[in-house]
Amino acid sequence: MRTMVSKALADVKMEPFWPDRPDRPETLPPLTAPRKADLLVVGGGFTGLWAAIQARQAKPDCAVILIEKSSAASGASGRNGGVASTSVMHGLSNAARIFPKDIAALEVLGQENMRGFMQVIAENGIDCHAEWGGELNVAIEDSQIDSLREEHDLHLKYGHNAVFLDRDALAGHIRSPRYKAGVWTKDVAGTVHPALLAWGLKRLALTLGVEIYETTPLLSLEETAGKMRVTTPHGSVVADRVLLATNAFMAGHRHIKRRIVPIRDRVLATEPLSDAQMAAIGWGNRQGIYDMRTQMNYMRLTKDNRIIFGGRLAYAFNGDTSPDVDREHATYAPLAEAFFDTFPQLEGLAFSHAWSGAIDLSTRMAVHFQRYHGGKVVYAGGYSGFGVTASRFGARVALDILNGSTLPESRLEFATQLPSIVPPEPFRWLGAQITMNALDTADQKGGWRLPWLKFVSALGFPLH
Ligand SMILES: Cc1cc2nc3c(=O)[nH]c(=O)nc-3n(C[C@H](O)[C@H](O)[C@H](O)COP(=O)(O)OP(=O)(O)OC[C@H]3O[C@@H](n4cnc5c(N)ncnc54)[C@H](O)[C@@H]3O)c2cc1C
């Protein structure tokens, strides 16, 4: 296995696959003058872009400025797996865990959000390679089949078109010797090209009259005469309201990090599969797939039939989010091993790209809203690796909170309550190291690792 993995990684580019395209848009010029706005959005990922778009659509005379420290989609939005889901709460099981009372309302909101997401893409001609093959959750151990059945029941209860697939039926959808059973949720879920989506949203925001300044980091945020002043290296913005859409980077307020743990997640892209290789895995419906390993893997196909395969988490002291830490081939070897363990029939296939991205882990595993400066500033984040479509919803609710919480959903618990505080350093780092080790080795070694993962789950992170 070791030789196969090092051969497969030999020529890999250490950069995200998605933005590595000739049609990558130019980075827009930075802010260089003092400006005023009704709404300032900080962060040019999905949350920030959707917020800017929805603010202008709701009120075309609202002056909206968006600042981004690098370029749109340079954060998680250009680095993710691109699996698009209907749930706005990190899946139905997680919604049942965190807000059992509101689950029906949250399901309706998720479906409305997905319809709105699809409508905006279609109406504005955003070609982001969307494919609606659904989502497939697969068990890799017999012991996981019962919880898969429970998940299936939950999906049926809330009206999803979900199918339970036993081992033989599953082999008709994807062939892996590791897969024991699966639940295929067919309705409105699938995959998108995340960078094309973000760039399309950026174009739409500009068309709607949003002023966007890239290479413009927020340096400080202060209240002055009832308004908010944001300072950047070469200019400042005075705004009535500020949305901090800074995800795992947590910029804008020093308290955000109390409830967010920035975790790096790794991803590999393969070279395009040949027809024979495609036939060998039989992935005809092209679903987004999640497996149930303790170090979960997710995967999907691209338009040119590469496999995007992700899922090795890591935490650096003080939550360092720089992907530069992840530029060593060796960092990706365990993920590559998991790939060939899943698809041994693809031996000889090479990886073209390897990268990591920052995930905003929260104990709730879903978006929450932190209010600062008497509600003039809101941070929206905590999607915990499940925000491709939920970010549109997070942006909508954040805007409503900034406008005084007039929507019924802004009064549900997910919008009014906060996830738990996570202990600070060095306990955070220590806990993360033990947890990552347990996640890496629990499937093979068991022992203390399973009780530890149960303990971490009891603290609020549902790892086991
Ligand atoms: C590896 C990986 C795989 C994932 N896979 C999936 C998936 O398959 N499906 C799914 O639903 N979700 C997935 N996610 C999660 C999803 O990508 C995120 O939830 C979503 O992109 C969050 O968007 P965002 O705009 O909130 O954050 P980001 O895209 O991270 O945007 C935040 C932006 O803020 C900017 N910023 C930071 N600091 C400053 C500052 N001081 N001044 C100005 N700007 C600043 C950053 O540069 C960045 O562009 C994945 C995430 C990762 C990392």
Side-chain angles (χ1 to χ4, degrees), residues 42-49 67-85 216-219 245-252 263-267 290 298 300 310-311 355-360 380-381 383-391:
V42 184
F46 293 144
T47 304
L49 291 165
I67 59 168
E68 159 57 47
K69 81 168 172 188
S70 173
S71 57
S74 57
S77 300
R79 296 169 173 270
N80 58 68
V83 180
S85 314
T216 301
L218 166 152
L219 298 178
T246 52
N247 191 34
F249 310 97
M250 305 179 293
I263 297 278
R264 281 171 298 117
D265 188 24
R266 282 117 182 197
V267 191
Y290 298 98
Y298 51 89
R300 47 80 54 95
W355 69 96
S356 77
I359 283 177
D360 48 348
Y383 303 98
S384 305
F386 204 96
V388 167
T389 43
S391 49

Short mmCIF file of all heavy atoms in Angstrom, two decimals, residues 42-49 67-85 216-219 245-252 263-267 290 298 300 310-311 355-360 380-381 383-391, ligand 1:
data_model
loop_
_atom_site.label_atom_id
_atom_site.label_comp_id
_atom_site.label_asym_id
_atom_site.label_seq_id
_atom_site.Cartn_x
_atom_site.Cartn_y
_atom_site.Cartn_z
N VAL A 42 -18.19 41.37 5.88
CA VAL A 42 -16.76 41.03 5.96
C VAL A 42 -16.62 39.56 5.62
O VAL A 42 -17.12 38.69 6.36
CB VAL A 42 -16.20 41.32 7.37
CG1 VAL A 42 -14.69 41.06 7.40
CG2 VAL A 42 -16.50 42.76 7.78
N GLY A 43 -15.93 39.25 4.51
CA GLY A 43 -15.74 37.86 4.10
C GLY A 43 -16.44 37.59 2.78
O GLY A 43 -17.65 37.80 2.66
N GLY A 44 -15.67 37.10 1.80
CA GLY A 44 -16.21 36.85 0.47
C GLY A 44 -16.35 35.37 0.16
O GLY A 44 -16.06 34.91 -0.94
N GLY A 45 -16.79 34.59 1.16
CA GLY A 45 -17.17 33.19 0.90
C GLY A 45 -18.66 33.14 0.62
O GLY A 45 -19.31 34.17 0.38
N PHE A 46 -19.23 31.93 0.66
CA PHE A 46 -20.66 31.79 0.35
C PHE A 46 -21.52 32.65 1.27
O PHE A 46 -22.47 33.30 0.82
CB PHE A 46 -21.11 30.33 0.50
CG PHE A 46 -20.52 29.38 -0.51
CD1 PHE A 46 -20.20 28.07 -0.14
CD2 PHE A 46 -20.30 29.76 -1.82
CE1 PHE A 46 -19.67 27.17 -1.05
CE2 PHE A 46 -19.77 28.87 -2.75
CZ PHE A 46 -19.46 27.57 -2.36
N THR A 47 -21.24 32.65 2.59
CA THR A 47 -22.10 33.40 3.52
C THR A 47 -22.10 34.88 3.17
O THR A 47 -23.16 35.51 3.07
CB THR A 47 -21.63 33.20 4.98
OG1 THR A 47 -21.60 31.80 5.27
CG2 THR A 47 -22.56 33.89 5.96
N GLY A 48 -20.91 35.44 2.99
CA GLY A 48 -20.81 36.87 2.69
C GLY A 48 -21.45 37.22 1.36
O GLY A 48 -22.19 38.21 1.24
N LEU A 49 -21.20 36.40 0.33
CA LEU A 49 -21.75 36.70 -1.00
C LEU A 49 -23.27 36.59 -1.00
O LEU A 49 -23.97 37.46 -1.52
CB LEU A 49 -21.13 35.75 -2.04
CG LEU A 49 -19.64 35.99 -2.30
CD1 LEU A 49 -19.02 34.81 -3.04
CD2 LEU A 49 -19.42 37.29 -3.10
N ILE A 67 -16.02 43.37 1.93
CA ILE A 67 -14.55 43.33 1.90
C ILE A 67 -14.09 41.90 2.14
O ILE A 67 -14.69 41.16 2.92
CB ILE A 67 -13.90 44.30 2.93
CG1 ILE A 67 -14.34 43.99 4.36
CG2 ILE A 67 -14.18 45.75 2.57
CD1 ILE A 67 -13.51 44.72 5.42
N GLU A 68 -13.04 41.53 1.44
CA GLU A 68 -12.51 40.15 1.52
C GLU A 68 -10.99 40.25 1.64
O GLU A 68 -10.36 40.97 0.87
CB GLU A 68 -12.94 39.38 0.26
CG GLU A 68 -12.12 38.16 -0.08
CD GLU A 68 -12.05 37.10 1.02
OE1 GLU A 68 -13.09 36.75 1.59
OE2 GLU A 68 -10.91 36.65 1.31
N LYS A 69 -10.43 39.53 2.60
CA LYS A 69 -8.99 39.71 2.85
C LYS A 69 -8.12 39.17 1.71
O LYS A 69 -7.02 39.64 1.49
CB LYS A 69 -8.58 39.08 4.18
CG LYS A 69 -8.36 37.62 4.15
CD LYS A 69 -7.68 37.11 5.42
CE LYS A 69 -7.71 35.59 5.34
NZ LYS A 69 -7.30 34.88 6.46
N SER A 70 -8.62 38.20 0.97
CA SER A 70 -7.84 37.64 -0.13
C SER A 70 -8.68 37.79 -1.41
O SER A 70 -8.79 38.88 -1.94
CB SER A 70 -7.53 36.18 0.20
OG SER A 70 -6.93 35.56 -0.88
N SER A 71 -9.29 36.71 -1.89
CA SER A 71 -10.22 36.83 -3.01
C SER A 71 -11.40 35.91 -2.74
O SER A 71 -11.29 34.99 -1.92
CB SER A 71 -9.54 36.46 -4.33
OG SER A 71 -9.04 35.16 -4.24
N ALA A 72 -12.52 36.16 -3.42
CA ALA A 72 -13.73 35.36 -3.16
C ALA A 72 -13.40 33.88 -3.32
O ALA A 72 -12.67 33.50 -4.24
CB ALA A 72 -14.83 35.75 -4.15
N ALA A 73 -13.90 33.09 -2.40
CA ALA A 73 -13.72 31.63 -2.44
C ALA A 73 -12.31 31.19 -2.09
O ALA A 73 -11.93 30.06 -2.38
CB ALA A 73 -14.13 31.05 -3.79
N SER A 74 -11.52 32.06 -1.48
CA SER A 74 -10.18 31.60 -1.06
C SER A 74 -10.26 30.80 0.24
O SER A 74 -9.37 30.04 0.57
CB SER A 74 -9.23 32.79 -0.87
OG SER A 74 -9.79 33.69 0.06
N GLY A 75 -11.36 30.96 0.99
CA GLY A 75 -11.55 30.19 2.22
C GLY A 75 -12.24 28.86 1.93
O GLY A 75 -12.08 28.28 0.84
N ALA A 76 -13.04 28.41 2.89
CA ALA A 76 -13.69 27.10 2.76
C ALA A 76 -14.53 27.00 1.49
O ALA A 76 -14.65 25.92 0.89
CB ALA A 76 -14.58 26.85 3.98
N SER A 77 -15.10 28.14 1.06
CA SER A 77 -16.03 28.08 -0.08
C SER A 77 -15.36 27.66 -1.39
O SER A 77 -16.06 27.20 -2.29
CB SER A 77 -16.73 29.44 -0.25
OG SER A 77 -17.45 29.74 0.94
N GLY A 78 -14.05 27.81 -1.49
CA GLY A 78 -13.37 27.33 -2.71
C GLY A 78 -12.59 26.07 -2.47
O GLY A 78 -11.80 25.64 -3.33
N ARG A 79 -12.77 25.43 -1.33
CA ARG A 79 -11.93 24.29 -0.96
C ARG A 79 -12.74 23.06 -0.55
O ARG A 79 -12.17 22.06 -0.12
CB ARG A 79 -11.04 24.68 0.25
CG ARG A 79 -10.08 25.76 -0.06
CD ARG A 79 -9.39 26.33 1.15
NE ARG A 79 -8.38 27.25 0.70
CZ ARG A 79 -7.13 26.92 0.41
NH1 ARG A 79 -6.70 25.70 0.60
NH2 ARG A 79 -6.28 27.83 -0.04
N ASN A 80 -14.06 23.16 -0.62
CA ASN A 80 -14.88 22.09 -0.03
C ASN A 80 -15.16 20.95 -1.02
O ASN A 80 -14.71 20.97 -2.15
CB ASN A 80 -16.19 22.69 0.52
CG ASN A 80 -16.98 23.39 -0.55
OD1 ASN A 80 -17.48 22.76 -1.46
ND2 ASN A 80 -17.06 24.72 -0.47
N GLY A 81 -15.95 19.97 -0.53
CA GLY A 81 -16.28 18.83 -1.36
C GLY A 81 -17.38 19.13 -2.37
O GLY A 81 -17.59 18.37 -3.31
N GLY A 82 -18.10 20.22 -2.15
CA GLY A 82 -19.17 20.59 -3.08
C GLY A 82 -20.38 19.69 -3.02
O GLY A 82 -21.17 19.62 -3.96
N VAL A 83 -20.55 18.98 -1.90
CA VAL A 83 -21.77 18.16 -1.75
C VAL A 83 -22.86 19.09 -1.21
O VAL A 83 -22.69 19.74 -0.17
CB VAL A 83 -21.54 16.97 -0.79
CG1 VAL A 83 -22.84 16.15 -0.65
CG2 VAL A 83 -20.41 16.08 -1.30
N ALA A 84 -23.95 19.20 -1.97
CA ALA A 84 -25.00 20.17 -1.65
C ALA A 84 -26.19 19.43 -1.02
O ALA A 84 -26.73 18.51 -1.63
CB ALA A 84 -25.43 20.88 -2.93
N SER A 85 -26.56 19.83 0.19
CA SER A 85 -27.58 19.11 0.94
C SER A 85 -28.77 20.02 1.24
O SER A 85 -28.62 21.24 1.31
CB SER A 85 -27.02 18.63 2.28
OG SER A 85 -25.76 18.04 2.08
N THR A 216 -8.54 43.02 0.94
CA THR A 216 -8.89 44.07 1.89
C THR A 216 -9.28 43.45 3.24
O THR A 216 -10.47 43.22 3.49
CB THR A 216 -10.06 44.92 1.32
OG1 THR A 216 -9.65 45.48 0.07
CG2 THR A 216 -10.45 46.05 2.27
N PRO A 217 -8.30 43.16 4.09
CA PRO A 217 -8.65 42.55 5.38
C PRO A 217 -9.21 43.57 6.37
O PRO A 217 -8.73 44.72 6.42
CB PRO A 217 -7.31 42.02 5.89
CG PRO A 217 -6.28 42.86 5.21
CD PRO A 217 -6.85 43.26 3.88
N LEU A 218 -10.20 43.16 7.13
CA LEU A 218 -10.61 43.96 8.30
C LEU A 218 -9.46 43.91 9.29
O LEU A 218 -8.96 42.84 9.63
CB LEU A 218 -11.87 43.33 8.90
CG LEU A 218 -12.33 43.76 10.30
CD1 LEU A 218 -13.83 43.60 10.42
CD2 LEU A 218 -11.64 42.99 11.42
N LEU A 219 -9.02 45.09 9.75
CA LEU A 219 -7.97 45.13 10.77
C LEU A 219 -8.56 45.41 12.14
O LEU A 219 -8.10 44.88 13.15
CB LEU A 219 -6.93 46.20 10.43
CG LEU A 219 -6.16 45.99 9.12
CD1 LEU A 219 -5.19 47.16 8.88
CD2 LEU A 219 -5.40 44.68 9.15
N ALA A 245 -18.81 37.49 8.19
CA ALA A 245 -18.96 36.20 7.51
C ALA A 245 -17.57 35.59 7.37
O ALA A 245 -17.14 35.22 6.28
CB ALA A 245 -19.63 36.40 6.15
N THR A 246 -16.87 35.52 8.49
CA THR A 246 -15.45 35.15 8.46
C THR A 246 -15.20 33.73 8.93
O THR A 246 -14.05 33.34 9.15
CB THR A 246 -14.62 36.14 9.30
OG1 THR A 246 -15.22 36.25 10.61
CG2 THR A 246 -14.57 37.51 8.67
N ASN A 247 -16.25 32.94 9.08
CA ASN A 247 -16.15 31.49 9.23
C ASN A 247 -15.06 31.08 10.23
O ASN A 247 -15.00 31.62 11.33
CB ASN A 247 -15.91 30.90 7.82
CG ASN A 247 -16.03 29.40 7.75
OD1 ASN A 247 -16.84 28.82 8.46
ND2 ASN A 247 -15.26 28.76 6.92
N ALA A 248 -14.21 30.14 9.87
CA ALA A 248 -13.20 29.61 10.81
C ALA A 248 -12.10 30.63 11.10
O ALA A 248 -11.31 30.43 12.02
CB ALA A 248 -12.59 28.34 10.24
N PHE A 249 -12.05 31.72 10.31
CA PHE A 249 -11.00 32.73 10.52
C PHE A 249 -11.38 33.67 11.65
O PHE A 249 -10.53 34.36 12.20
CB PHE A 249 -10.75 33.50 9.22
CG PHE A 249 -10.54 32.58 8.05
CD1 PHE A 249 -11.58 32.26 7.20
CD2 PHE A 249 -9.31 31.97 7.86
CE1 PHE A 249 -11.41 31.39 6.15
CE2 PHE A 249 -9.12 31.09 6.81
CZ PHE A 249 -10.17 30.79 5.96
N MET A 250 -12.67 33.73 11.95
CA MET A 250 -13.20 34.36 13.15
C MET A 250 -12.87 35.84 13.28
O MET A 250 -12.91 36.39 14.37
CB MET A 250 -12.73 33.60 14.40
CG MET A 250 -13.08 32.13 14.34
SD MET A 250 -12.51 31.18 15.76
CE MET A 250 -10.76 31.24 15.59
N ALA A 251 -12.48 36.49 12.19
CA ALA A 251 -12.09 37.90 12.28
C ALA A 251 -13.29 38.76 12.65
O ALA A 251 -14.42 38.47 12.27
CB ALA A 251 -11.52 38.37 10.95
N GLY A 252 -13.06 39.82 13.40
CA GLY A 252 -14.11 40.80 13.69
C GLY A 252 -14.39 40.97 15.16
O GLY A 252 -14.77 42.05 15.59
N ILE A 263 -10.80 23.81 12.47
CA ILE A 263 -10.20 22.50 12.17
C ILE A 263 -9.83 22.48 10.70
O ILE A 263 -10.61 22.94 9.88
CB ILE A 263 -11.26 21.39 12.42
CG1 ILE A 263 -11.68 21.36 13.88
CG2 ILE A 263 -10.81 20.03 11.96
CD1 ILE A 263 -10.75 20.60 14.77
N ARG A 264 -8.65 21.92 10.38
CA ARG A 264 -8.31 21.80 8.96
C ARG A 264 -8.75 20.42 8.45
O ARG A 264 -8.57 19.41 9.12
CB ARG A 264 -6.82 22.01 8.76
CG ARG A 264 -6.49 23.50 8.77
CD ARG A 264 -5.03 23.79 8.79
NE ARG A 264 -4.44 23.25 10.00
CZ ARG A 264 -3.52 22.31 10.03
NH1 ARG A 264 -3.07 21.80 8.91
NH2 ARG A 264 -3.03 21.88 11.16
N ASP A 265 -9.34 20.41 7.27
CA ASP A 265 -9.81 19.18 6.67
C ASP A 265 -9.09 19.01 5.34
O ASP A 265 -8.90 19.98 4.61
CB ASP A 265 -11.34 19.29 6.44
CG ASP A 265 -11.94 17.98 6.00
OD1 ASP A 265 -11.35 16.92 6.28
OD2 ASP A 265 -13.02 18.01 5.38
N ARG A 266 -8.66 17.77 5.03
CA ARG A 266 -7.84 17.55 3.83
C ARG A 266 -8.65 16.90 2.71
O ARG A 266 -9.55 16.11 2.96
CB ARG A 266 -6.67 16.63 4.16
CG ARG A 266 -5.55 17.33 4.87
CD ARG A 266 -5.36 16.75 6.20
NE ARG A 266 -4.32 17.42 6.97
CZ ARG A 266 -3.76 16.89 8.04
NH1 ARG A 266 -4.10 15.69 8.45
NH2 ARG A 266 -2.86 17.56 8.70
N VAL A 267 -8.24 17.23 1.50
CA VAL A 267 -8.98 16.75 0.32
C VAL A 267 -7.98 16.34 -0.76
O VAL A 267 -6.94 16.99 -0.92
CB VAL A 267 -9.91 17.85 -0.24
CG1 VAL A 267 -10.86 17.28 -1.28
CG2 VAL A 267 -10.71 18.54 0.86
N TYR A 290 -21.06 10.01 1.77
CA TYR A 290 -20.39 10.10 3.08
C TYR A 290 -20.27 8.68 3.62
O TYR A 290 -21.25 7.93 3.55
CB TYR A 290 -21.23 10.89 4.08
CG TYR A 290 -21.49 12.32 3.70
CD1 TYR A 290 -22.68 12.70 3.09
CD2 TYR A 290 -20.55 13.30 3.97
CE1 TYR A 290 -22.92 14.02 2.75
CE2 TYR A 290 -20.78 14.63 3.63
CZ TYR A 290 -21.96 14.98 3.01
OH TYR A 290 -22.18 16.29 2.66
N TYR A 298 -15.70 11.72 2.69
CA TYR A 298 -16.77 12.10 1.76
C TYR A 298 -16.17 12.12 0.37
O TYR A 298 -14.95 12.30 0.21
CB TYR A 298 -17.37 13.47 2.12
CG TYR A 298 -16.35 14.55 2.31
CD1 TYR A 298 -15.93 15.33 1.23
CD2 TYR A 298 -15.78 14.78 3.56
CE1 TYR A 298 -14.97 16.32 1.40
CE2 TYR A 298 -14.82 15.77 3.73
CZ TYR A 298 -14.42 16.52 2.65
OH TYR A 298 -13.45 17.48 2.82
N ARG A 300 -17.14 12.58 -4.17
CA ARG A 300 -18.06 12.88 -5.27
C ARG A 300 -17.27 12.88 -6.57
O ARG A 300 -16.03 12.89 -6.54
CB ARG A 300 -18.78 14.20 -5.03
CG ARG A 300 -17.95 15.39 -4.60
CD ARG A 300 -17.20 16.12 -5.68
NE ARG A 300 -17.96 16.57 -6.81
CZ ARG A 300 -18.49 17.79 -6.94
NH1 ARG A 300 -18.31 18.68 -5.98
NH2 ARG A 300 -19.12 18.13 -8.04
N GLY A 310 -12.33 13.43 0.45
CA GLY A 310 -11.87 14.27 1.57
C GLY A 310 -12.11 13.64 2.91
O GLY A 310 -12.83 12.63 3.04
N GLY A 311 -11.47 14.24 3.93
CA GLY A 311 -11.82 13.87 5.28
C GLY A 311 -10.75 13.43 6.23
O GLY A 311 -10.94 12.41 6.89
N TRP A 355 -5.11 19.45 -0.97
CA TRP A 355 -5.22 20.73 -0.27
C TRP A 355 -5.96 20.54 1.05
O TRP A 355 -6.56 19.49 1.28
CB TRP A 355 -5.94 21.75 -1.14
CG TRP A 355 -7.41 21.51 -1.37
CD1 TRP A 355 -8.46 22.04 -0.70
CD2 TRP A 355 -7.99 20.66 -2.39
NE1 TRP A 355 -9.66 21.59 -1.22
CE2 TRP A 355 -9.41 20.75 -2.25
CE3 TRP A 355 -7.47 19.83 -3.40
CZ2 TRP A 355 -10.30 20.05 -3.07
CZ3 TRP A 355 -8.37 19.13 -4.21
CH2 TRP A 355 -9.75 19.24 -4.05
N SER A 356 -5.90 21.58 1.87
CA SER A 356 -6.72 21.54 3.07
C SER A 356 -7.53 22.83 3.15
O SER A 356 -7.24 23.82 2.46
CB SER A 356 -5.85 21.38 4.33
OG SER A 356 -5.24 22.60 4.65
N GLY A 357 -8.56 22.82 3.98
CA GLY A 357 -9.40 23.99 4.16
C GLY A 357 -9.84 24.07 5.60
O GLY A 357 -9.84 23.05 6.31
N ALA A 358 -10.20 25.27 6.03
CA ALA A 358 -10.55 25.47 7.44
C ALA A 358 -12.05 25.31 7.65
O ALA A 358 -12.87 25.94 6.97
CB ALA A 358 -10.11 26.86 7.87
N ILE A 359 -12.38 24.47 8.63
CA ILE A 359 -13.78 24.22 9.02
C ILE A 359 -14.04 24.88 10.36
O ILE A 359 -13.22 24.82 11.26
CB ILE A 359 -14.01 22.69 9.10
CG1 ILE A 359 -14.16 22.13 7.69
CG2 ILE A 359 -15.22 22.36 9.95
CD1 ILE A 359 -14.33 20.64 7.65
N ASP A 360 -15.20 25.51 10.48
CA ASP A 360 -15.59 26.23 11.70
C ASP A 360 -16.40 25.31 12.62
O ASP A 360 -17.63 25.38 12.67
CB ASP A 360 -16.41 27.47 11.31
CG ASP A 360 -17.52 27.15 10.29
OD1 ASP A 360 -17.50 26.04 9.73
OD2 ASP A 360 -18.40 28.00 10.08
N ALA A 380 -22.01 35.13 11.69
CA ALA A 380 -22.77 33.93 11.31
C ALA A 380 -21.78 32.85 10.91
O ALA A 380 -21.01 33.03 9.96
CB ALA A 380 -23.70 34.23 10.14
N GLY A 381 -21.75 31.74 11.63
CA GLY A 381 -20.82 30.66 11.30
C GLY A 381 -21.05 29.47 12.19
O GLY A 381 -22.03 29.40 12.93
N TYR A 383 -20.83 26.24 10.75
CA TYR A 383 -21.45 25.21 9.90
C TYR A 383 -20.79 23.83 10.06
O TYR A 383 -21.37 22.82 9.69
CB TYR A 383 -21.36 25.59 8.42
CG TYR A 383 -21.97 26.91 8.06
CD1 TYR A 383 -21.18 28.07 7.93
CD2 TYR A 383 -23.33 27.04 7.83
CE1 TYR A 383 -21.73 29.29 7.57
CE2 TYR A 383 -23.89 28.26 7.46
CZ TYR A 383 -23.08 29.38 7.34
OH TYR A 383 -23.63 30.59 7.00
N SER A 384 -19.57 23.81 10.55
CA SER A 384 -18.87 22.55 10.84
C SER A 384 -18.75 21.64 9.63
O SER A 384 -19.00 20.43 9.71
CB SER A 384 -19.57 21.81 11.99
OG SER A 384 -19.68 22.64 13.13
N GLY A 385 -18.40 22.22 8.50
CA GLY A 385 -18.16 21.41 7.30
C GLY A 385 -19.41 21.03 6.55
O GLY A 385 -19.42 20.06 5.79
N PHE A 386 -20.47 21.80 6.70
CA PHE A 386 -21.76 21.47 6.06
C PHE A 386 -22.46 22.79 5.71
O PHE A 386 -23.48 23.12 6.29
CB PHE A 386 -22.58 20.67 7.07
CG PHE A 386 -23.64 19.78 6.47
CD1 PHE A 386 -23.40 18.44 6.24
CD2 PHE A 386 -24.90 20.27 6.16
CE1 PHE A 386 -24.38 17.61 5.73
CE2 PHE A 386 -25.89 19.44 5.65
CZ PHE A 386 -25.62 18.11 5.43
N GLY A 387 -21.85 23.54 4.79
CA GLY A 387 -22.38 24.88 4.58
C GLY A 387 -22.55 25.28 3.13
O GLY A 387 -22.82 26.45 2.85
N VAL A 388 -22.42 24.36 2.19
CA VAL A 388 -22.50 24.76 0.78
C VAL A 388 -23.85 25.39 0.48
O VAL A 388 -23.94 26.44 -0.15
CB VAL A 388 -22.20 23.56 -0.15
CG1 VAL A 388 -22.57 23.86 -1.59
CG2 VAL A 388 -20.73 23.19 -0.07
N THR A 389 -24.92 24.77 0.95
CA THR A 389 -26.24 25.38 0.76
C THR A 389 -26.73 26.08 2.04
O THR A 389 -27.43 27.09 1.96
CB THR A 389 -27.28 24.32 0.32
OG1 THR A 389 -27.09 23.16 1.12
CG2 THR A 389 -27.13 23.97 -1.13
N ALA A 390 -26.33 25.55 3.22
CA ALA A 390 -26.79 26.15 4.48
C ALA A 390 -26.29 27.58 4.63
O ALA A 390 -26.90 28.38 5.37
CB ALA A 390 -26.33 25.30 5.66
N SER A 391 -25.20 27.95 3.92
CA SER A 391 -24.67 29.31 4.04
C SER A 391 -25.66 30.33 3.47
O SER A 391 -25.72 31.46 3.94
CB SER A 391 -23.32 29.42 3.33
OG SER A 391 -23.42 28.86 2.05
C1 LIG B 1 -12.27 20.76 3.16
C2 LIG B 1 -13.72 21.17 3.32
C3 LIG B 1 -14.71 20.36 2.77
C4 LIG B 1 -16.07 20.74 2.91
N1 LIG B 1 -17.02 20.00 2.26
C5 LIG B 1 -18.32 20.41 2.29
C6 LIG B 1 -19.30 19.72 1.55
O1 LIG B 1 -19.01 18.80 0.78
N2 LIG B 1 -20.60 20.13 1.68
C7 LIG B 1 -20.94 21.17 2.47
O2 LIG B 1 -22.13 21.50 2.58
N3 LIG B 1 -20.01 21.89 3.14
C8 LIG B 1 -18.71 21.54 3.05
N4 LIG B 1 -17.75 22.28 3.69
C9 LIG B 1 -18.17 23.49 4.44
C10 LIG B 1 -18.40 24.69 3.53
O3 LIG B 1 -17.34 24.83 2.63
C11 LIG B 1 -18.48 25.95 4.43
O4 LIG B 1 -19.44 25.76 5.44
C12 LIG B 1 -18.84 27.20 3.65
O5 LIG B 1 -18.00 27.36 2.54
C13 LIG B 1 -18.73 28.40 4.59
O6 LIG B 1 -18.76 29.59 3.85
P1 LIG B 1 -18.34 30.94 4.57
O7 LIG B 1 -18.54 32.02 3.60
O8 LIG B 1 -19.06 31.03 5.87
O9 LIG B 1 -16.80 30.75 4.92
P2 LIG B 1 -15.49 30.93 4.00
O10 LIG B 1 -15.70 30.41 2.64
O11 LIG B 1 -14.36 30.34 4.77
O12 LIG B 1 -15.34 32.48 3.88
C14 LIG B 1 -14.83 33.30 4.90
C15 LIG B 1 -14.07 34.40 4.21
O13 LIG B 1 -13.69 35.39 5.16
C16 LIG B 1 -12.46 35.91 4.71
N5 LIG B 1 -11.82 36.61 5.83
C17 LIG B 1 -11.24 36.05 6.92
N6 LIG B 1 -10.72 37.00 7.71
C18 LIG B 1 -10.98 38.18 7.11
C19 LIG B 1 -10.69 39.54 7.44
N7 LIG B 1 -9.98 39.87 8.53
N8 LIG B 1 -11.11 40.51 6.60
C20 LIG B 1 -11.80 40.20 5.46
N9 LIG B 1 -12.09 38.93 5.11
C21 LIG B 1 -11.70 37.94 5.92
C22 LIG B 1 -11.70 34.70 4.24
O14 LIG B 1 -10.62 35.04 3.39
C23 LIG B 1 -12.79 33.90 3.55
O15 LIG B 1 -12.85 34.13 2.17
C24 LIG B 1 -16.41 21.92 3.62
C25 LIG B 1 -15.40 22.73 4.16
C26 LIG B 1 -14.07 22.36 4.01
C27 LIG B 1 -12.99 23.26 4.57
#
